[in-house]
Amino acid sequence: MEAALKKVNAITTRNIPFAKHSIEELQSVKNQFENTLKHYELNIKQQSDNNKHYKATQETARLYLSHFIQVLLFASERGEINGGLKYYGSLLDLGGKVPALNTEQEILEWGRTIVNGEQNRVRQGGSAIYSPSIALVKFKLEEFSDAAIFQQNLKRNTLRAFEKMQQLRKTTNDFISQLWTEIESHLELEAGSEEEKRALAEEFGIVYVLRRKERKLLQQQEEVENVEEPKEEISLEGKAEEKPTFVQRDLFMQFN
């Protein structure tokens, strides 16, 4: 589309090989496609840039939560936790092991369980655990939760931009196909040969790509053209005035 617009601006209106109303449509389609593409690329960049912060807050929250659970388990093993581990969901069922904290969901779900459990235990008269404190663990989990929500919003924005890009790509391709047909139809009248028509069309941004079978056939034709016409061996003895004759053969049939 960019090449077509440049070519249109460089020639007179009379020589434009497609309808005049298509010029404005070409500019509109090009601008809309470029703006949508830039918006999509911007969303991808924002998601990628924020992902570093998201991963950092995730690792910090996982680390603080894991350390708190380890301290909690050690204190319970020493008998320092009144009521044992009954406040902390299914933590007691893990046999003294730290639960898996590998995914966003695992960190946030176990985080809520541990924070609520510790707050309930302390309200029942239990001694608070420090290094780290539950307040600090809760703060790190909230930071991670906010980062996760923001990252999900960026993902949704990127997905919407991608879907819009896919829809626009189809309508843009339809317009390019229409423009391509108009240009070729016009150049059929101007070009003296197929090669000349393609050369003129390429000035408007049309790029021709041969299919595999077409490339193979073209290669075969070139090989045929490069083969010298075979000659029949003739003895010139006693026939000095006679000229040698050539044998005519259909060489192209050899390659089919």
Side-chain angles (χ1 to χ4, degrees):
M1 290 188 291
E2 180 70 28
L5 276 176
K6 287 183 178 180
K7 185 64 178 178
V8 165
N9 293 330
I11 60 179
T12 61
T13 305
R14 182 172 58 84
N15 294 327
I16 297 176
F18 47 84
K20 294 181 180 179
H21 66 81
S22 296
I23 300 177
E24 294 182 0
E25 188 175 358
L26 173 60
Q27 183 69 64
S28 175
V29 170
K30 175 179 174 292
N31 290 343
Q32 186 178 9
F33 186 84
E34 288 179 342
N35 291 337
T36 304
L37 179 60
K38 288 178 181 178
H39 183 64
Y40 174 55
E41 291 174 342
L42 178 60
N43 284 331
I44 291 179
K45 185 177 185 303
Q46 288 178 334
Q47 182 181 332
S48 176
D49 291 344
N50 187 71
N51 191 58
K52 299 175 184 177
H53 174 66
Y54 166 76
K55 289 294 185 182
T57 57
Q58 181 183 31
E59 178 58 23
T60 300
R62 186 199 65 79
L63 193 63
Y64 273 80
L65 180 59
S66 174
H67 286 181
F68 182 88
I69 294 174
Q70 291 178 54
V71 173
L72 175 64
L73 292 174
F74 289 146
S76 177
E77 186 177 352
R78 294 191 300 264
E80 299 173 359
I81 299 296
N82 60 316
L85 301 177
K86 66 179 183 180
Y87 297 100
Y88 305 96
S90 59
L91 185 62
L92 183 61
D93 301 332
L94 298 180
K97 296 181 180 179
V98 177
L101 302 172
N102 299 317
T103 67
E104 173 185 311
Q105 183 178 358
E106 290 171 340
I107 294 172
L108 293 177
E109 287 184 355
W110 273 109
R112 284 190 292 269
T113 298
I114 298 300
V115 169
N116 291 336
E118 178 66 5
Q119 290 175 342
N120 288 335
R121 187 185 66 82
V122 171
R123 279 197 294 266
Q124 296 300 321
S127 299
I129 292 176
Y130 297 98
S131 297
S133 67
I134 196 61
L136 185 55
V137 173
K138 182 180 179 182
F139 175 74
K140 297 301 181 182
L141 287 168
E142 288 175 347
E143 271 192 332
F144 173 51
S145 179
D146 291 341
I149 292 173
F150 187 59
Q151 184 71 358
Q152 287 298 324
N153 289 335
L154 291 180
K155 287 182 179 179
R156 281 193 287 269
N157 292 341
T158 301
L159 180 60
R160 282 196 294 267
F162 173 76
E163 292 173 348
K164 185 177 181 180
M165 191 72 204
Q166 291 297 95
Q167 295 173 357
L168 186 61
R169 188 181 297 276
K170 182 181 183 304
T171 58
T172 302
N173 285 338
D174 291 342
F175 174 74
I176 291 175
S177 178
Q178 169 198 331
L179 202 66
W180 186 311
T181 301
E182 289 187 41
I183 292 174
E184 283 193 326
S185 299
H186 179 85
L187 295 180
E188 287 281 358
L189 304 176
E190 292 188 2
S193 64
E194 187 68 20
E195 290 74 14
E196 183 181 356
K197 185 192 78 171
R198 291 195 172 197
L200 291 172
E202 287 176 357
E203 294 180 5
F204 288 89
I206 295 178
V207 178
Y208 294 92
V209 179
L210 294 177
R211 297 181 178 89
R212 183 180 300 178
K213 291 184 179 179
E214 293 173 333
R215 291 198 302 269
K216 184 177 180 181
L217 180 59
L218 181 62
Q219 182 180 3
Q220 290 174 347
Q221 291 174 340
E222 291 176 349
E223 290 175 354
V224 170
E225 293 174 357
N226 293 332
V227 174
E228 293 185 0
E229 198 73 28
K231 301 177 182 179
E232 182 179 355
E233 294 184 1
I234 301 176
S235 175
L236 299 180
E237 185 177 350
K239 299 181 181 180
E241 296 181 356
E242 293 184 8
K243 295 183 179 179
T245 59
F246 296 93
V247 178
Q248 300 293 329
R249 296 179 182 177
D250 189 359
L251 295 179
F252 185 74
M253 295 299 294
Q254 299 177 12
F255 296 88
N256 291 337

